[in-house]
Amino acid sequence: MKFGQVEHPEEIDFTLPPTTPETLTLLQHFKIDEPFEVYVGCAKWNKQDLKGFYPRGTKDELAYYSTQFNSIELNATFYNSPGIDQVETWKKKTPANFKFFPKIPQSISHFSRLLNTGDKVKLFTDSIVHFDEKLGMAFLQMHDNYNPKDMARLKLFLHDWPKEVPLALEVRNKDWFSKPEVTKELYALLEETNVTNVLVDTAGRRDMLHMRLTTPTAFIRYVGANHATDYDRLDQWIDVLKLWRENGLQKLYFFIHQNIEVESPLLATHFIKKLNTTFDLDLTYPNKNTGNTLF
């Protein structure tokens, strides 16, 4: 993943911004005494990207991956909407507690730019609902050049989205975050439509780390810099998540990328161990039950 990549990550201030008061107010409104639902994974299971992660002789990469993590940010669906048979095949290969988080196809987000997409949305959602209990949340990632002048189009799309399919949104154009009146309107829309606001932690776009939740779910896409600071950055997130959980956070979906993806499982393992200790969880992570060293 190259989005937000910089040549000298050591020059970036990776301090996480303070949580917005609006986020704490929203969380407290939804606060209930329920178990903390946490899913952490990588973006893909491709053996070429995760070279060294799979034991020699692994025949089915997804089947193995799903024994090491409890979720996947399913980027494969960005390129083509999966058929029902494909979804059911993926579903059958994974354990009962595994969840998929499919990205909405680029035919909807990038090519059609949310215009006249009813048939395409139906094709996509009619397929992914066959994940059944293994469907986590779909997410819509807009092109960098999709800006607030098309807010009306976004409003129509979110209001028309089938409510039985949980949805998160990632917008990237800087004008969404640099103009307070636009930002306020965007967050109000997401709260109104019960759409989760995606937070992106990447070196070159710190403006996307706005620490503003719009539902009691945190959907975080973390992009490491293949640098020693990656681990310290993840440790900062533990402190933030403690605050959010104390105020009512119900669900955490955290997906770890790297510019060179081979290191993603290493970062994820570090982070999951911290989550398990901090929140008294028992999330699986690579080689948890074998004691072997990853890679």
Side-chain angles (χ1 to χ4, degrees), residues 211-279:
M211 311 305 275
R212 176 62 159 90
L213 303 184
T214 54
T215 69
T217 297
F219 193 125
I220 298 163
R221 304 182 69 238
Y222 174 93
V223 186
N226 296 102
H227 190 268
T229 54
D230 293 343
Y231 291 89
D232 293 335
R233 291 168 57 193
L234 286 172
D235 292 347
Q236 283 190 71
W237 272 110
I238 296 294
D239 293 333
V240 170
L241 293 169
K242 283 172 61 178
L243 172 66
W244 291 358
R245 177 61 178 164
E246 289 165 0
N247 280 272
L249 183 68
Q250 297 173 12
K251 301 177 182 181
L252 169 65
Y253 304 147
F254 199 104
F255 297 102
I256 294 178
H257 301 250
Q258 273 284 19
N259 295 318
I260 303 173
E261 289 286 5
V262 67
E263 294 184 14
S264 296
L266 292 167
L267 284 178
T269 298
H270 171 85
F271 187 61
I272 293 169
K273 287 180 178 180
K274 292 272 187 176
L275 288 171
N276 282 346
T277 300
T278 303
F279 297 103

Side-chain angles (χ1 to χ4, degrees), residues 163-200:
K163 300 305 180 235
E164 66 272 18
V165 179
L167 179 65
L169 171 68
E170 176 185 325
V171 290
R172 292 181 162 188
N173 188 274
K174 293 182 179 181
D175 286 348
W176 292 104
F177 315 117
S178 62
K179 301 177 179 179
E181 68 281 4
V182 169
T183 305
K184 183 177 180 180
E185 185 178 2
L186 173 64
Y187 295 153
L189 171 64
L190 298 184
E191 290 189 28
E192 178 185 352
T193 54
N194 195 35
V195 172
T196 294
N197 187 32
V198 175
L199 309 184
V200 180

